[in-house]
């Protein structure tokens, strides 16, 4: 009978030996990532986590700031059918400095402002808002898009300070998504702690290896959702920075779901936890942190003479009753456990009391939702119709604030004299 060596080990000892080897490899990979990350741009980008309590005050340049995000500083790269401009944004090229010959609007925000579910450039709310403003004003208009995925108000404040303030815009629109902007870059506790990913999110908060793997999967999934074959099926070789890629809009599949059904329900359930009545103290703490940042941003914008509008973007669970029913069944809870209007109600009350201009899209989206879907299938972002509703409401607000009566606003050949008129577009009733 042989003793010792691999052949003499019992099954339990062999499993233990394998487990120790795997653990050693994992620990070595963990150490290697942590040592290499400060010197490697790609690793630094992959270590980003929007749920970290992140401060950006130590960044001094745009590349430094952008490299703290999943997008990174990647001018000229193709993202969702658009070649990023020379400043790494999904918008047209611009020169630093004022533009006195035009009405300039700067849009700050997260993925809703960046790509809104990967929709083609011409269907995005910033592009549509620009065309509506141009139809209603007697000046040239440009709406510049400064959206960066997986970022919150802290990042947007620093982006204003480093880059956007230099453009001296006439108006700044901050797209605040209630689904995750209360927690992005904030310290979260209680039931809301796994807001951005359950157990995986918890592991990613302590392990660099898990975070890199998790973010790599997310980046892979983001290669444009709803379109055939990733980024390689259209010809982007001749496209200049700051321009949309021909062919993307034609090949985009707006009705193709992004997430598996169970994954989508889990994402929305975590976000709806923000409205749990039992979590009111946690929500109040997050709302206090967010409000202080937004008030600082608004004060800095208005100090330049520009107008600032906080546009509150509703989550799908707030406008889709069928989705709420599915979440309640999955969570084993009842509607009485939640206060679904709390995010907008509480944030608006504090901001408006401080004299901040707030555009709450929730009432308009609830009206429009009676006549058709506003979000892409299992995606969490708006579809083209949702972008139209938002653009019409925003353009009407901006025009009225500039002393123009909303007039001659067209899209798809239909006139809209108010935001409510767009609720009929694409309707089923």
């Amino acid at each position: 009978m042989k003793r010792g060596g691999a052949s003499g080990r019992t099954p339990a000892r062999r499993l233990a030996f394998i487990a120790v080897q795997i653990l050693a490899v994992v620990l070595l990979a963990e150490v290697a990532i942590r040592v290499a990350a400060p010197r490697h741009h790609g690793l630094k980008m992959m270590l980003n986590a929007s749920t970290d309590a992140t401060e950006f005050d130590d960044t001094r340049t745009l590349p430094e700031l952008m490299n703290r995000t999943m997008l990174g500083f990647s001018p000229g790269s193709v993202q969702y059918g658009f070649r990023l401009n020379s400043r790494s944004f999904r918008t047209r090229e611009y020169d630093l400095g004022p533009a006195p010959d035009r009405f300039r609007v700067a849009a700050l925000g997260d993925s809703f402002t960046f790509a809104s579910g990967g929709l083609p450039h011409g269907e995005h709310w910033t592009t549509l808002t620009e065309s509506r403003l141009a139809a209603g004003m007697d000046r040239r208009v440009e709406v510049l898009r400064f959206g960066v995925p997986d970022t919150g108000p802290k990042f947007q404040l620093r982006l204003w300070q480093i880059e956007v303030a230099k453009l001296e815009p006439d108006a700044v629109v901050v797209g605040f998504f209630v689904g995750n902007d209360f927690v992005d870059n904030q310290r979260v506790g209680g039931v809301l702690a796994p807001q951005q990913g359950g157990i995986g999110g918890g592991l990613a908060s302590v392990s660099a290896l898990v975070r890199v793997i998790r973010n790599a999967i997310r980046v892979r999934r983001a290669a444009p959702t709803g379109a055939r074959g990733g980024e390689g099926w259209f010809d982007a070789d001749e496209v200049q920075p700051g321009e949309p890629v021909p062919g993307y809009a034609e090949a985009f599949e707006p009705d193709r779901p992004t997430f598996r059904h169970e994954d989508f329900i889990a994402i929305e359930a975590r976000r709806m936890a923000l409205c749990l009545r039992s979590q009111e103290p946690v929500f109040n703490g997050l709302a206090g942190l967010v409000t202080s940042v937004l008030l600082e941003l608004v004060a800095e914008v208005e100090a330049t003479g520009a107008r600032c509008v906080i546009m509150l973007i509703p989550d799908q669970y707030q406008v889709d009753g069928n989705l709420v029913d599915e979440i309640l069944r999955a969570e084993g809870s009842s509607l009485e456990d939640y206060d679904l209007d709390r995010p907008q109600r509480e944030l608006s009350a504090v901001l408006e009391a401080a004299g901040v201009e707030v555009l709450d899209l929730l009432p308009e989206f609830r009206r429009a939702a009676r006549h058709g879907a506003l979000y892409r299938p299992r995606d969490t972002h708006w579809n083209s119709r949702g972008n139209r509703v938002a653009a019409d409401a925003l353009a009407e607000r901006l025009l009225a604030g500039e002393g123009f009566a909303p007039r001659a606003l067209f899209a798809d050949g239909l006139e809209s004299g108010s935001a409510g008129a767009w609720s009929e577009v694409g309707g089923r009733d």
Side-chain angles (χ1 to χ4, degrees):
M1 180 175 180
K2 295 183 179 180
R3 299 182 182 274
S7 60
R9 293 192 182 103
T10 65
R13 292 182 63 187
R14 284 198 295 271
L15 288 175
F17 179 74
I18 294 171
V20 169
Q21 288 182 312
I22 292 174
L23 179 60
V25 171
V26 169
L27 290 175
L28 285 173
E30 184 79 20
V31 172
I33 290 172
R34 292 178 181 270
V35 170
R39 303 173 184 82
H40 191 280
H41 163 67
L43 277 178
K44 281 198 298 185
M45 191 170 68
M46 282 295 156
L47 284 172
N48 172 74
S50 61
T51 50
D52 283 351
T54 306
E55 304 296 335
F56 300 97
D57 294 345
D58 60 335
T59 57
R60 296 290 179 266
T61 66
L62 182 62
E64 284 180 326
L65 180 64
M66 295 294 285
N67 282 335
R68 293 280 189 91
T69 72
M70 284 283 292
L71 182 64
F73 186 70
S74 51
S77 67
V78 175
Q79 302 281 343
Y80 298 101
F82 193 96
R83 188 172 293 283
L84 302 188
N85 72 6
S86 58
R87 308 294 289 174
S88 197
F89 296 106
R90 195 171 183 255
T91 198
R92 64 167 61 89
E93 290 286 6
Y94 57 83
D95 295 322
L96 295 178
D101 62 330
R102 70 199 69 171
F103 183 76
R104 172 176 278 176
V105 180
L108 296 168
D110 60 5
S111 56
F112 271 88
T113 306
F114 177 72
S116 193
L119 285 180
H121 174 71
E123 299 178 31
H124 192 268
W125 63 267
T126 56
T127 308
L128 298 173
T129 299
E130 182 177 271
S131 64
R132 285 156 168 71
L133 292 177
M137 301 182 72
D138 54 6
R139 298 171 59 186
R140 289 181 59 194
V141 176
E142 69 173 2
V143 178
L144 298 175
R145 189 187 314 177
F146 294 94
V148 180
D150 275 347
T151 61
K154 286 183 180 180
F155 175 88
Q156 287 132 31
L157 170 62
R158 193 62 182 143
L159 179 58
W160 158 261
Q161 294 167 339
I162 287 178
E163 179 79 359
V164 182
K166 298 174 183 176
L167 302 177
E168 299 183 28
D170 298 281
V172 174
V173 177
V174 182
F176 183 93
F177 176 47
V178 303
N180 54 30
D181 279 349
F182 281 101
V183 299
D184 280 352
N185 307 135
Q186 305 285 13
R187 193 173 302 281
V188 186
V191 172
L192 300 178
Q195 174 87 2
Q196 295 296 321
I199 296 175
L203 291 174
S205 68
V206 296
S207 169
L209 176 61
V210 173
R211 186 176 300 182
V212 167
I213 294 172
R214 186 165 176 262
N215 282 342
I217 293 172
R218 295 175 69 191
V219 169
R220 174 64 180 169
R221 287 177 176 173
T225 55
R228 292 191 294 270
E231 295 285 15
W233 47 263
F234 52 75
D235 184 10
D237 293 340
E238 303 302 321
V239 179
Q240 297 300 309
E243 294 183 1
V245 175
Y248 180 86
E250 291 75 16
F252 185 75
E253 298 175 359
D255 297 324
R256 177 180 174 186
T258 299
F259 297 105
R260 295 181 305 172
H261 182 265
E262 58 271 27
D263 292 340
F264 174 70
I265 297 300
I267 291 170
E268 287 295 302
R270 289 194 296 270
R271 290 179 174 177
M272 204 166 90
L274 189 74
C275 302
L276 279 167
R277 297 184 189 276
S278 62
Q279 289 293 294
E280 185 174 1
V282 177
F283 172 83
N284 290 339
L286 291 170
L289 294 171
V290 162
T291 301
S292 65
V293 176
L294 290 176
L295 289 176
E296 183 178 355
L297 174 56
V298 171
E300 291 196 15
V301 170
E302 292 182 343
T304 69
R307 180 181 175 191
C308 190
V309 178
I310 306 297
M311 184 174 74
L312 301 184
I313 298 171
D315 201 307
Q316 186 172 347
Y317 67 77
Q318 295 181 307
V319 299
D320 186 343
N322 292 329
L323 175 58
V324 172
D325 290 340
E326 287 200 68
I327 293 172
L328 295 177
R329 285 195 296 270
E331 296 294 294
S333 55
S334 67
L335 190 58
E336 288 71 27
D337 297 328
Y338 296 86
D339 181 357
L340 298 184
D341 292 356
R342 182 169 63 195
Q344 285 89 339
R345 184 184 66 244
E346 299 298 327
L347 189 57
S348 293
V350 175
L351 292 176
E352 290 175 347
V356 175
E357 185 174 2
V358 177
L359 174 60
D360 182 4
L361 294 177
L362 181 56
E364 195 60 51
F365 266 61
R366 281 179 172 167
R367 283 191 289 270
R370 300 169 189 163
H371 305 281
L374 299 169
Y375 293 78
R376 287 197 57 216
R378 302 204 301 268
D379 183 274
T380 79
H381 295 92
W382 294 331
N383 60 18
S384 59
R385 184 166 175 264
N387 277 264
R388 292 199 300 270
V389 173
D392 200 58
L394 177 59
E396 182 173 351
R397 173 66 69 87
L398 291 175
L399 284 171
E402 296 299 318
F404 292 88
R407 60 180 174 80
L409 300 181
F410 291 84
D412 297 339
L414 298 175
E415 183 173 356
S416 169
S418 70
W422 280 103
S423 66
E424 302 296 332
V425 176
R428 295 192 299 261
D429 297 346

